[in-house]
Amino acid sequence: MISVASSRREQASRVLQQHGALMVLALLVIVGSLAFDSFATAGNAASVVVSSSFLAIIAIGMTFVIISGGIDLSVGSLFVLGGVLAAYGSQYGLLMALALPLGACGVVGLLQGLVIARTGMAPFIVTLAGLLGVRGLMLAISQEGATTYLVKNPAFASLGQGELLGLTYPVYITAALALVAMVLLQRTGFGQNVYAIGGNEQAAALMGVPVARTKVTVYVMSALLAGLAGALNAARLSSGVTILGIGLELDAIAAVVIGGTLLTGGAGGITGTVAGVLLLGVIQSLINQVGNLTSAFQQVVSGAFLALVVVAQRLLSKAQRLS
Amino acid sequence: MRRTDLEAVLEAKGISKRFPGVLALDGVHLALLPGEVHALVGENGAGKSTLIKVFTGVYHPDGGELRHLGAPAAFGTPLDAQRAGISTIYQEVNLVPMMSVARNLLLGREPRGRFGVIDATRMYAEAARILSGYGVETDVRRPLRTLGIGAQQMVALARAVAVDARVVIMDEPTSSLEPREVETLFGVIRRLRDEGIAVMYVSHRLDELYQVCDRVTVLRDGRVAHTGPLAGLDRLKLISLMLGRDLNEVKAGGLTRFSRDRHRAADGQPPAVEARGLTRRHVLDGIDVSVRPGEVVGLGGLLGAGRTETAKAIVGAMPLDGGQVLVAGLPLRGGSTTAAIRAGISLLPEDRKAEGIVPTLSVRENIALAALPSLARAGVVSDAKIDRMVEIFMRRLRIKAASPNQLVSELSGGNQQKVLLARWLAVRPKVLLLDEPTRGIDVGAKAEVQALIDELAAEGLGVLLISSDLEELVEGADRILVLREGAVVGELTGDQVTEERIMATIAEQSDDMVTIAERSDD
Amino acid sequence: AKSEEPQSAPAATSTAGQQVVQSPSGSAGPTCTLDQFGGKKFDLKTATVGFSQSEKEANPFRIAETKSIKDEAAKLGIANLKVTNAQSQFSKQITDVQQLIAQGVQLLVIAPLNSDGWEPVLQQAAAKKVPIITVDRKINAKACSDYLTFIGSDFHEQGKRAADRMIDALSGKGKVAILLGAPGNNVTTERTNGFKERITEKAPGIQISFEQTGEFAREKGQQVTEQLIQSNPDINGIYAENDEMALGAVTALKGAGKEAGTIKIVSVDGTRSAVQGIADGWLHSVIESNPRFGPLAFETAQKFLDGQSIPDKVIISDRDYDTSNAKDSLGEAY
Amino acid sequence: MTELTSKPAFRTDLKPRIFAWVQDYGVYAAVLALLLFNVLFTPHFLDASNFRTQFVQVTPIVIVSLGMALVIGTQGIDLSVGSVMALAAALVALYLGYGALPALIVAVIGGAVVGAAGGALVAYVGVQPIVATLALLVGVRGIANVLVPQLVEFRNPDLIALGSSSVTGIPVIVLIAAALTLIVLFVVRRTTFGRQVVAIGGNRSASELSGLPVKRVLLIVYVISGLLAALAGVLATARLQASDPTSLGLFIELSAITAVVVGGTPLTGGRIRVLSTVMGALLMQLLAATLIKHNLPQSWTQMVQAVIILAAVYATRERANR
Ligand SMILES: Nc1ncnc2c1ncn2[C@@H]1O[C@H](COP(=O)(O)OP(=O)(O)OP(=O)(O)O)[C@@H](O)[C@H]1O
Ligand SMILES: Nc1ncnc2c1ncn2[C@@H]1O[C@H](COP(=O)(O)OP(=O)(O)OP(=O)(O)O)[C@@H](O)[C@H]1O
Ligand SMILES: [Mg+2]
Ligand SMILES: [Mg+2]
């Protein structure tokens, strides 16, 4: 007979690793509040939360992709495409303002997913091509980026600008999406399939997981969420700005990984990702609080922070395995 | 009991399957009847796993027809096959290591609560209930990878059987199971048979076949060499069918693998390697082992007794809390595998797929891997030297490959194992630690490997042999250390080396359960 | 470390290259006063002032711009100046400004990365009645209500003036290539449109046979030009939408063994290296885009706080550099 | 071997062999196709000066890709290469006062140090390569910009000569890239180190148990990548005749990864194809040149690149056994 139970300590350190980002976040907030008077104000907190919400939406989609063992580099381009199409579509009403970007981004996600699932090409390369192609598409429909479509539809604009209790609607939308994503990931067969193919694709296939369908779904979701984030952002900015989203995919990946999701797939979660996004936002806010760092120093500090956070994460998880 | 006039549940009619350079299956006919246990046997690379993968929709046949319940069937994916009631345990444990035990066990049929959402509480309870039926008591929330490989195999088994299956296919299910677990498994198989389910059973352990199987199909080089009832079939006849050799020839060779006489390990000689007080929390508890030149030392014990850990600790592949390893009387520095190999100790790991082969490299590169430093001058490798060495080992171990340049991942399991053995012999070790060296190896190859162990010991090599096959252990080892809960609980020498004594030593003072966890909850 | 000795160029004097307002204030267009805007008067010296820079301080323009704002603030004794840098990410700039507002700044000077998309910032600033002065690029919104005023150059006009120079250089005939700025950038769009409009309007003999982006960077300008002169050897002029790309083009021409001046290069910005390039004969002319916004920005703010009326846009007059003035103006170039 | 003879003889199928050929030599075919297109439709394409231009422009990417191929072979990835180029440019500007050679040496050491930092994070701390090098991507460019905040022109004749002179008509930097390619090819094919790199990428725990110095090899691989990136940075700087830490090497990591993957080296590691990587880089260079020469707008350029990358990788992908 084999009998192996988990010790309480083991469970505790597992929790520790999963919520490492959350704890670093709490630490930073405390330090920031002590160091700067204007840091722990409602206004500043709101600005961090509001501006993080768009990255969070993208990162939620990215979490699914990464847990499934893939990666999606096209989200930055999809974000800007979504914004431009939403602004363009808003001329024809609220419905078009949402349907157009979601439709287009969904199709891109579907294509990427199909190529990845059916040909076995590396997601990195397929979505890298997506990054290029989608940005090209965006440039084509905005006359090489020269045309900025403006959002004239008040209903759509309010989707991005309307406020409730000092926070704009996108924050609530993000929160709702995060909750849905959590349930999806932890409590549905689809979520289990995502973990399974990320953990061991071959085994998952042998266990009867519909690998191709799950992969396609994951990339469609990621693209839809990126498009939605773009559309909401366009509503917030009242225009389809064309110079957005460069390097956004790296931010999203960084947030997901800081949140404790393994890039190799098979493990991770939404809470960590949300914490990771907020962590990036808070770091930026702290840099702004200092108020006089040159741009170059800001980069050094961000890079150092990122390194610090991942090393801390890593050591925490090592400690877990040793105990 | 068995009724041959029954309609086949699953039938292969002239199935062929080609891989680049190999015709793995060549017009195979096989009918699986309800309520029978059908043995599928054959040498390594005969095509057993390939046939199973064709049955389960992993591979698509190049020729022939698959019939399911009398109608032509084409399974596009394993999922299709599963839906048709065909459930499988594969040769290599194929589960998701990072997911929890419960989620692995119930993936795809988790109990649902409100809104169709998974009910976690019920899932864990159900998983625990199912597993305890297979003698596995564990926290089903922990990741599967933290379980020993045998326990993982039991989870895979439980998973396969728990579905509403009409056909259950098992590809070497016992290769990582303990005798007691094998009994549990046989109980399950007999129950399935009585329920009218067709069971296909692949194993290289002939004893097992005679214990549970009704009929047998022998594959040789991708073709069916024989099909018929097992009961009347003589053991030697079966072997001669598998090997494709004359019955008399096999008779002459006999079934003996190891030479009966003990090695003459010079008793006066100092140990080639000596481990003192190997300790690691929850795993190893002050283990002392020594191996003298020309001696084969066996490590016995139940699953999870710490045999693999002991071996890994000796080669420095596992961090220790205490203890040291001495080679020729001098302590091994650094605790790294590199140092151990340089000092002449090598380990053939237990988990071939995860720790053995490098799947992207050829047979040739895999064999040469560990010996590279000695095959190079100033960091530049000599291809001529490698070729010569690879050729020798491929011939000596009879490695079946299209060419030395074939990818090792394309070989059958047994041949992969031989490649690994070649890798370790190539570094000319003084002491060889073999962790389940004959797992998944056919009778022919097994005899070869065992003969090889003998031969090496005779040449003065020290061997530490870990095997769950008690017969192998008894026949091969001069001296056996029995481990339990990470500690040596007995040493058997000379005439004490018998299966009964091993079992007795394991059982002594031992309660029903080996609870590592209870120790860790101090 | 020991770097090369700097090239000997006359050091810029403190007032050299000062911005000059094109249209005398209040002479034309709508104006704005404190009352109209609805804000409250405060003392600039003790106030918290925010400056949001759009791009890294890595090219001469941005360096000079940030430095000018900081220097002027120091000169005026404004102790509490908060500077943020959006590192060319528009979303970050929006957040930056929002956080500046949250930190309680009373006056905002913004160098916008983009003209559109300022809605959330403007709303927030309006709610707190924080006056915004945008420098170098415009914001597409209502002056004196959404924001206070704009100080900067007219990029469209710069394009037109560059076209005039090109027409001059080629005597109205020939083939011209454009090295475009970063795609999607307002500056790129306006400098391109201005140039093309003027060419079609005044010199139908000039054909624009090639336009590729050099992304405002020297290396990219060099690479594109190398491809260009190889496949279009008959090109007569190159219009580079900033100096860096023009200088990259010069390196490419040198590498291809061309003589100085055989291909006429006109560019926009007025960095010191470009003006030196004119003196060396490689560039034909450079249209200035003056980044020294500090004095004018704070002067405008002070006027506004004093209750005077200020114009809704302050267009500065940019000079041109060509062979006639390049050597003498080196000290004024940035 | 001997057993082979007892196997039933197999038909020689043509189709799989064509597949295998395309998989191995797809990049070469794609380069040829693109050359053919250009010869037919691009004016002045066959001029010697054109080939010179293309080769010169592709050198930094080739050099960076060589290091990237090694890193990818270990199942890693190095996103920091562009920033290392920038750092090298900054260091060259700072130390050029001592002469071209000392400046070059300092720059290359700087690259090695960054590589060592990344390698240490990956090998010893166990951080995932993509995140470790992402942190370096951000931080190292920051450092480069702190050291040299803006573009600096230089006049050092040695350095300018390095960037613009030729030997028997072939630009020096192209010769350097060719030499480096041969060295890396030799290392991968013929040295113990090369085999170890590939084995580690193929199965890390197997390599550990086989006594390979896994951590050290990983560290060295990242150091090499840093070295090569720094060298590429110096050469690009020499060619530009100015040190530009701000924009030098931006996004080159993506080009390099593309070159490696288009060349048929899988991102899953365990395999390195050096010459095909160079071909991959050439393919991307030729493609960019073609699009520029035909004056396509940016939107089209990016979409066409996307399609070509997909097509090339599709051709060279590992086929599933079905
Ligand atoms: N994916 C593959 N690619 C190429 N050849 C393969 C592949 N899978 C199996 N083969 C070849 O097909 C033949 C049959 O292999 P198979 O795995 O079915 O043998 P087996 O009877 O299960 O052997 P074992 O007892 O060692 O598991 C072998 O020669 C093997 O090398
Ligand atoms: N982190 C851990 N905490 C507690 N127990 C563990 C941990 N990791 C592994 N174990 C247990 O330690 C035991 C040792 O496993 P292992 O399989 O190596 O032993 P073994 O004697 O070599 O058995 P066999 O070779 O037959 O599988 C296993 O039962 C495993 O479940
Ligand atoms: Mg098999
Ligand atoms: Mg074991």
Side-chain angles (χ1 to χ4, degrees):
Chain A
M1 287 246 176
I2 309 156
S3 158
V4 188
S6 301
S7 69
R8 196 156 301 160
R9 171 121 66 49
E10 202 181 339
Q11 280 171 353
S13 62
R14 211 181 301 162
V15 169
L16 203 73
Q17 197 245 331
Q18 273 165 10
H19 301 291
L22 212 57
M23 293 190 317
V24 178
L25 178 64
L27 200 75
L28 268 191
V29 170
I30 294 170
V31 170
S33 314
L34 294 178
F36 304 101
D37 291 340
S38 53
F39 178 76
T41 59
N44 196 48
S47 93
V48 171
V49 173
V50 168
S51 64
S52 297
S53 59
F54 303 94
L55 180 60
I57 295 178
I58 295 173
I60 288 171
M62 186 71 82
T63 309
F64 278 81
V65 174
I66 291 182
I67 291 178
S68 82
I71 201 153
D72 189 352
L73 299 182
S74 68
V75 289
S77 297
L78 286 166
F79 176 75
V80 61
L81 178 72
V84 170
L85 286 178
Y88 178 80
S90 70
Q91 306 167 51
Y92 308 104
L94 176 64
L95 195 67
M96 278 309 274
L98 288 173
L100 203 57
L102 291 182
C105 293
V107 168
V108 173
L110 184 68
L111 287 178
Q112 294 188 144
L114 283 174
V115 170
I116 290 166
R118 294 254 172 260
T119 67
M121 286 161 74
F124 192 97
I125 257 337
V126 174
T127 56
L128 177 61
L131 178 155
L132 284 171
V134 171
R135 190 162 286 275
L137 188 66
M138 184 279 296
L139 287 176
I141 51 184
S142 61
Q143 284 77 48
E144 302 305 312
T147 306
T148 304
Y149 299 103
L150 298 181
V151 173
K152 298 267 169 53
N153 181 317
F156 179 59
S158 76
L159 203 58
Q161 296 167 10
E163 277 192 27
L164 190 70
L165 305 173
L167 296 174
T168 53
Y169 291 161
V171 176
Y172 298 99
I173 297 175
T174 309
L177 285 172
L179 277 178
V180 171
M182 257 186 263
V183 173
L184 211 55
L185 208 46
Q186 294 300 332
R187 291 298 173 85
T188 66
F190 166 72
Q192 298 309 297
N193 292 345
V194 173
Y195 279 107
I197 61 175
N200 184 346
E201 184 174 332
Q202 224 184 338
L206 295 178
M207 287 162 92
V209 170
V211 174
R213 178 153 41 98
T214 307
K215 278 192 182 174
V216 172
T217 311
V218 158
Y219 286 95
V220 169
M221 273 177 61
S222 171
L224 282 178
L225 286 171
L228 177 68
L232 290 177
N233 192 45
R236 172 169 86 128
L237 303 182
S238 283
S239 52
V241 176
T242 56
I243 57 166
L244 294 169
I246 294 172
L248 194 59
E249 60 283 347
L250 292 182
D251 288 343
I253 294 169
V256 172
V257 173
I258 288 173
T261 296
L262 287 181
L263 261 176
T264 38
I270 300 292
T271 16
T273 296
V274 173
V277 171
L278 286 175
L279 197 57
L280 292 182
V282 167
I283 291 174
Q284 204 50 65
S285 169
L286 282 175
I287 290 175
N288 279 350
Q289 291 286 332
V290 178
N292 243 329
L293 282 181
T294 68
S295 54
F297 263 115
Q298 292 190 15
Q299 279 187 300
V300 178
V301 173
S302 320
F305 245 118
L306 195 55
L308 220 67
V309 170
V310 290
V311 168
Q313 275 276 315
R314 181 64 205 159
L315 295 181
L316 278 176
S317 73
K318 249 190 190 168
Q320 181 212 334
R321 266 197 297 148
L322 283 182
S323 70
Chain B
M1 212 176 71
R2 229 176 345 99
R3 285 169 45 203
T4 36
D5 54 324
L6 278 176
E7 194 184 25
V9 205
L10 196 58
E11 191 174 4
K13 288 201 144 178
I15 293 284
S16 297
K17 175 70 191 170
R18 175 187 305 279
F19 291 114
V22 193
L23 191 57
L25 295 177
D26 186 6
V28 170
H29 286 273
L30 193 151
L32 266 182
L33 307 180
E36 75 162 345
V37 182
H38 194 126
L40 182 65
V41 296
E43 276 188 287
N44 291 134
K48 304 178 296 290
S49 299
T50 307
L51 180 61
I52 288 172
K53 288 185 178 165
V54 168
F55 273 144
T56 53
V58 177
Y59 292 151
H60 302 166
D62 299 327
E65 190 187 36
L66 212 58
R67 296 180 78 85
H68 175 56
L69 295 172
F75 303 127
T77 64
L79 187 59
D80 292 342
Q82 246 175 53
R83 291 220 176 97
I86 300 168
S87 126
T88 319
I89 314 164
Y90 294 92
Q91 186 169 7
E92 317 281 343
V93 179
N94 261 306
L95 294 172
V96 185
M98 267 184 296
M99 280 171 88
S100 70
V101 174
R103 287 180 193 262
N104 266 295
L105 185 64
L106 295 173
L107 183 69
R109 50 205 154 82
E110 301 88 350
R112 301 302 164 106
R114 253 184 301 169
F115 313 116
V117 152
I118 294 171
D119 183 340
T121 328
R122 261 174 59 206
M123 178 173 68
Y124 291 129
E126 198 171 323
R129 186 181 55 73
I130 295 175
L131 279 183
S132 68
Y134 290 86
V136 180
E137 303 283 346
T138 179
D139 176 0
V140 294
R141 266 170 295 205
R142 62 189 294 165
L144 182 83
R145 68 183 152 89
T146 60
L147 261 53
I149 193 164
Q152 293 188 22
Q153 185 74 321
M154 286 310 260
V155 175
L157 174 72
R159 175 182 164 78
V161 174
V163 238
D164 259 345
R166 310 187 66 129
V167 177
V168 176
I169 299 175
M170 304 180 178
D171 193 353
E172 299 194 39
T174 54
S175 60
S176 38
L177 296 188
E178 286 301 321
R180 199 191 312 235
E181 288 167 338
V182 173
E183 274 314 312
T184 313
L185 173 71
F186 286 174
V188 175
I189 290 178
R190 292 190 186 105
R191 204 182 69 218
L192 292 173
R193 176 177 57 194
D194 295 344
E195 287 167 8
I197 289 166
V199 178
M200 179 138 126
Y201 190 87
V202 180
S203 178
H204 291 296
R205 298 183 181 173
L206 298 186
D207 298 342
E208 293 176 353
L209 301 184
Y210 282 96
Q211 276 183 54
V212 288
C213 296
D214 306 314
R215 285 205 303 153
V216 64
T217 294
V218 181
L219 280 186
R220 190 168 67 236
D221 286 342
R223 277 180 236 152
V224 175
H226 173 83
T227 299
L230 187 61
L233 195 63
D234 179 50
R235 245 173 114 129
L236 287 179
K237 173 74 186 152
L238 181 59
I239 293 168
S240 75
L241 282 168
M242 285 164 63
L243 302 183
R245 282 188 225 142
D246 189 53
L247 186 58
N248 294 326
E249 196 183 313
V250 176
K251 269 190 183 138
L255 272 178
T256 32
R257 306 128 217 217
F258 289 107
S259 56
R260 285 289 165 190
D261 43 276
R262 301 279 165 225
H263 306 107
R264 250 150 307 168
D267 286 326
Q269 277 205 43
V273 64
E274 185 177 6
R276 282 192 200 148
L278 300 179
T279 303
R280 181 175 155 82
R281 278 193 61 200
H282 307 327
V283 185
L284 296 180
D285 189 7
I287 295 217
D288 299 319
V289 190
S290 68
V291 181
R292 281 190 293 267
E295 183 187 33
V296 179
V297 177
L299 275 192
L302 289 183
L303 198 73
R307 296 167 300 173
T308 297
E309 273 77 1
T310 304
K312 283 199 171 168
I314 294 175
V315 294
M318 196 185 60
L320 283 175
D321 300 328
Q324 63 175 167
V325 177
L326 305 169
V327 178
L330 298 171
L332 199 61
R333 282 176 305 112
S336 76
T337 42
T338 321
I341 288 168
R342 221 172 271 147
I345 314 174
S346 4
L347 165 70
L348 178 81
E350 169 183 30
D351 190 341
R352 178 164 64 219
K353 196 167 160 189
E355 303 185 316
I357 62 164
V358 183
T360 50
L361 296 185
S362 63
V363 172
R364 179 180 182 276
E365 306 287 335
N366 266 284
I367 293 179
L369 188 62
L372 274 180
S374 64
L375 296 167
R377 188 175 299 151
V380 180
V381 294
S382 155
D383 278 325
K385 271 192 195 167
I386 292 182
D387 284 336
R388 228 175 301 136
M389 185 199 76
V390 167
E391 222 222 283
I392 292 171
F393 281 110
M394 285 186 71
R395 198 158 350 112
R396 182 165 172 192
L397 300 185
R398 297 221 220 159
I399 295 171
K400 208 182 262 188
S403 93
N405 296 320
Q406 188 178 12
L407 282 184
V408 76
S409 48
E410 291 172 359
L411 297 194
S412 75
N415 278 303
Q416 292 183 0
Q417 185 75 338
K418 291 190 200 166
V419 167
L420 292 183
L421 211 50
R423 176 192 294 169
W424 290 117
L425 294 178
V427 299
R428 294 174 210 278
K430 293 198 197 80
V431 179
L432 192 53
L433 316 182
L434 302 172
D435 196 352
E436 308 284 1
T438 59
R439 171 177 295 175
I441 290 196
D442 68 51
V443 269
K446 195 165 175 174
E448 285 166 19
V449 169
Q450 291 169 339
L452 192 73
I453 295 173
D454 258 354
E455 201 179 312
L456 295 168
E459 287 169 13
L461 189 77
V463 176
L464 185 74
L465 178 65
I466 301 174
S467 178
S468 299
D469 184 344
L470 289 186
E471 199 185 335
E472 177 173 282
L473 211 53
V474 168
E475 284 183 14
D478 305 311
R479 185 159 66 90
I480 290 178
L481 295 177
V482 179
L483 300 193
R484 195 174 62 226
E485 294 180 30
V488 179
V489 293
E491 178 171 353
L492 310 176
T493 49
D495 293 341
Q496 296 174 314
V497 179
T498 63
E499 290 189 34
E500 295 70 38
R501 284 302 291 264
I502 299 178
M503 301 293 271
T505 317
I506 291 172
E508 248 169 54
Q509 322 143 354
S510 160
D511 300 331
D512 221 2
M513 281 188 200
V514 179
T515 40
I516 291 165
E518 272 166 24
R519 283 191 292 135
S520 64
D521 255 344
D522 47 6
Chain C
K2 176 179 158 200
S3 46
E4 277 191 328
E5 319 231 316
Q7 264 157 325
S8 53
T13 51
S14 61
T15 52
Q18 204 68 268
Q19 284 180 343
V20 184
V21 178
Q22 192 179 47
S23 44
S25 53
S27 73
T31 58
C32 189
T33 64
L34 192 56
D35 291 339
Q36 270 172 290
F37 185 78
K40 268 204 293 285
K41 184 177 162 62
F42 56 86
D43 183 5
L44 205 50
K45 273 199 183 61
T46 56
T48 316
V49 177
F51 173 55
S52 165
Q53 178 57 281
S54 55
E55 295 169 12
K56 282 188 253 180
E57 283 95 9
N59 61 50
F61 186 95
R62 294 295 162 196
I63 293 170
E65 184 175 42
T66 303
K67 183 169 183 301
S68 157
I69 300 273
K70 282 186 180 171
D71 286 356
E72 187 67 15
K75 205 172 108 191
L76 295 176
I78 301 173
N80 223 339
L81 176 74
K82 301 229 175 218
V83 183
T84 62
N85 190 305
Q87 321 252 2
S88 301
Q89 291 169 25
F90 187 62
S91 303
K92 180 170 181 321
Q93 185 164 36
I94 301 288
T95 312
D96 282 351
V97 178
Q98 286 184 324
Q99 293 186 348
L100 285 174
I101 297 174
Q103 285 178 43
V105 294
Q106 288 153 288
L107 169 71
L108 270 170
V109 181
I110 300 177
L113 191 59
N114 196 54
S115 298
D116 292 301
W118 285 92
E119 202 60 36
V121 163
L122 298 179
Q123 277 175 10
Q124 216 174 331
K128 291 198 171 183
K129 293 280 171 223
V130 180
I132 296 175
I133 296 174
T134 79
V135 294
D136 90 63
R137 288 178 204 172
K138 261 187 281 217
I139 284 180
N140 289 336
K142 260 175 65 197
C144 200
S145 69
D146 293 334
Y147 69 101
L148 190 60
T149 185
F150 159 72
I151 307 173
S153 311
D154 183 338
F155 299 131
H156 199 86
E157 189 60 31
Q158 287 173 346
K160 285 187 169 175
R161 286 167 57 200
D164 287 337
R165 288 302 189 153
M166 187 61 85
I167 294 168
D168 245 17
L170 301 183
S171 320
K173 260 174 69 82
K175 288 191 172 172
V176 171
I178 305 181
L179 297 180
L180 302 167
N185 194 310
N186 300 121
V187 184
T188 304
T189 311
E190 289 177 37
R191 285 185 186 160
T192 311
N193 291 345
F195 185 83
K196 285 187 179 169
E197 267 172 36
R198 185 55 63 91
I199 293 283
T200 30
E201 168 192 316
K202 278 176 79 179
I206 290 183
Q207 185 197 345
I208 297 172
S209 57
F210 185 92
E211 20 178 333
Q212 285 289 313
T213 179
E215 278 159 15
F216 286 139
R218 190 178 293 200
E219 195 194 17
K220 204 77 206 305
Q222 180 191 10
Q223 288 185 353
V224 171
T225 308
E226 282 171 350
Q227 301 286 4
L228 160 75
I229 51 178
Q230 206 288 312
S231 59
N232 303 36
D234 55 346
I235 211 83
N236 306 107
I238 295 176
Y239 165 46
E241 290 181 355
N242 81 347
D243 286 348
E244 283 301 308
M245 294 190 291
L247 293 167
V250 168
T251 319
L253 294 182
K254 281 184 190 165
K258 300 263 191 237
E259 294 291 318
T262 45
I263 292 181
K264 309 290 180 204
I265 302 179
V266 178
S267 78
V268 187
D269 260 2
T271 62
R272 196 168 302 168
S273 302
V275 176
Q276 182 67 47
I278 299 177
D280 298 344
W282 281 100
L283 298 192
H284 179 267
S285 48
V286 174
I287 311 298
E288 188 196 46
S289 191
N290 196 330
R292 299 181 184 92
F293 291 101
L296 208 49
F298 287 114
E299 187 190 312
T300 308
Q302 192 58 58
K303 268 192 199 164
F304 169 74
L305 292 174
D306 290 345
Q308 297 182 35
S309 78
I310 56 158
D312 74 334
K313 58 173 182 244
V314 183
I315 301 301
I316 55 177
S317 105
D318 293 319
R319 72 184 93 194
D320 306 6
Y321 298 99
D322 57 22
T323 35
S324 65
N325 63 358
K327 277 205 183 72
D328 304 333
S329 316
L330 259 180
E332 290 159 33
Y334 56 92
Chain D
M1 306 198 66
T2 44
E3 274 76 6
L4 245 189
T5 45
S6 67
K7 286 267 166 194
F10 52 88
R11 258 188 316 152
T12 43
D13 270 344
L14 198 58
K15 216 170 121 194
R17 281 209 295 173
I18 293 178
F19 266 134
W21 188 88
V22 167
Q23 191 188 323
D24 283 350
Y25 300 102
V27 213
Y28 297 81
V31 169
L32 274 180
L34 206 52
L35 280 177
L36 193 68
F37 171 88
N38 276 299
V39 168
L40 293 178
F41 300 109
T42 308
H44 310 290
F45 188 79
L46 283 176
D47 294 1
S49 67
N50 179 48
F51 288 100
R52 209 183 133 92
T53 302
Q54 308 313 334
F55 278 121
V56 164
Q57 287 196 3
V58 83
T59 38
I61 299 184
V62 165
I63 296 174
V64 169
S65 307
L66 290 174
M68 187 69 83
L70 289 178
V71 174
I72 288 180
T74 67
Q75 217 177 59
I77 205 153
D78 189 354
L79 298 183
S80 70
V81 285
S83 300
V84 170
M85 285 177 73
L87 180 66
L91 290 174
V92 163
L94 283 181
Y95 289 87
L96 202 51
Y98 296 105
L101 190 65
L104 187 146
I105 291 171
V106 171
V108 169
I109 291 175
V113 168
V114 176
L121 282 177
V122 171
Y124 292 94
V125 186
V127 178
Q128 305 179 55
I130 200 171
V131 217
T133 55
L134 176 63
L136 290 175
L137 164 91
V138 179
V140 170
R141 187 167 295 272
I143 293 174
N145 289 340
V146 169
L147 292 177
V148 176
Q150 68 179 108
L151 182 142
V152 184
E153 292 168 12
F154 56 78
R155 286 150 293 139
N156 184 304
D158 296 338
L159 197 56
I160 290 178
L162 178 66
S164 52
S165 61
S166 303
V167 175
T168 64
I170 304 171
V172 173
I173 59 171
V174 175
L175 290 175
I176 293 178
L180 288 172
T181 305
L182 290 180
I183 293 174
V184 172
L185 188 66
F186 178 80
V187 166
V188 168
R189 292 228 178 130
R190 303 293 320 230
T191 65
T192 323
F193 176 76
R195 308 270 161 113
Q196 290 175 333
V197 168
V198 181
I200 290 168
N203 186 344
R204 182 165 168 172
S205 33
S207 304
E208 255 159 23
L209 282 178
S210 299
L212 272 52
V214 172
K215 291 178 177 169
R216 197 173 70 212
V217 170
L218 280 177
L219 181 72
I220 295 175
V221 162
Y222 283 87
V223 168
I224 292 177
S225 175
L227 276 176
L228 288 173
L231 195 58
V234 174
L235 294 185
T237 300
R239 207 172 86 75
L240 190 61
Q241 304 183 7
S243 151
D244 185 6
T246 330
S247 55
L248 186 68
L250 273 180
F251 299 111
I252 200 169
E253 63 280 355
L254 293 185
S255 309
I257 294 168
T258 310
V260 172
V261 174
V262 165
T265 299
L267 280 172
T268 43
R271 202 162 168 227
I272 299 175
R273 307 187 61 198
V274 178
L275 289 181
S276 301
T277 295
V278 175
M279 276 293 144
L282 268 177
L283 178 68
M284 299 321 292
Q285 170 65 28
L286 264 182
L287 183 61
T290 310
L291 296 168
I292 290 177
K293 285 174 192 281
H294 287 267
N295 201 21
L296 255 67
Q298 189 69 9
S299 53
W300 280 96
T301 306
Q302 295 193 338
M303 287 190 278
V304 172
Q305 275 177 343
V307 171
I308 301 275
I309 291 176
L310 279 183
V313 177
Y314 180 77
T316 53
R317 100 210 118 107
E318 307 267 343
R319 275 158 305 115
N321 249 319
R322 275 283 151 109

